[in-house]
Amino acid sequence: MSNLVNTTDADFKIDVLDSETPVLVDFWAGWCGPCKAIAPVLEDLSREYEGKVKVVKVDVTSCEATAVNYNIRNIPALLLFKNGEVVAQQVGAVPRSRLVAFIDENI
């Protein structure tokens, strides 16, 4: 079962900013090929890092305010939040090994 959380503009504060654990936020869109390519990897990582990192998805087409607020210009864009603040960013589809290193380096 997936541990991914799909959030909205209205729930972003609760799901991400108020989280006690670090949160990896995936800004994506259904029409984005690279976003679809990394989706299964993010699902796996959501299970692998359960309890350590929460993985939250933000669809930029339906959550425009959040995407604009975080200056998302290219997708997929992965932002890692700790204590409500962005501590790292990874833009573009990268291999699983790079995503694991990105998370490990920043949590």
Side-chain angles (χ1 to χ4, degrees):
M1 185 173 155
S2 175
N3 294 317
L4 293 175
V5 175
N6 288 291
T7 195
T8 63
D9 285 338
D11 292 335
F12 189 82
K13 182 179 185 312
I14 294 164
D15 290 335
V16 177
L17 302 179
D18 294 342
S19 177
E20 292 185 10
T21 56
V23 183
L24 180 65
V25 179
D26 173 28
F27 288 88
W28 71 286
W31 46 262
C32 169
C35 299
K36 290 178 183 178
I38 67 166
V41 175
L42 291 173
E43 257 192 68
D44 288 345
L45 293 176
S46 74
R47 287 186 290 272
E48 188 176 317
Y49 284 88
E50 184 176 7
K52 295 182 208 161
V53 176
K54 182 159 97 174
V55 180
V56 175
K57 296 181 73 70
V58 175
D59 184 340
V60 298
T61 55
S62 60
C63 301
E64 290 180 35
T66 301
V68 168
N69 189 43
Y70 288 96
N71 202 24
I72 303 301
R73 300 201 183 283
N74 295 301
I75 55 173
L78 301 170
L79 274 59
L80 190 66
F81 287 78
K82 284 170 93 174
N83 301 315
E85 300 290 326
V86 177
V87 295
Q89 182 172 343
Q90 172 71 53
V91 178
V94 294
R96 184 184 198 286
S97 60
R98 179 62 198 121
L99 289 177
V100 168
F102 172 74
I103 293 169
D104 289 344
E105 290 166 6
N106 294 292
I107 60 168

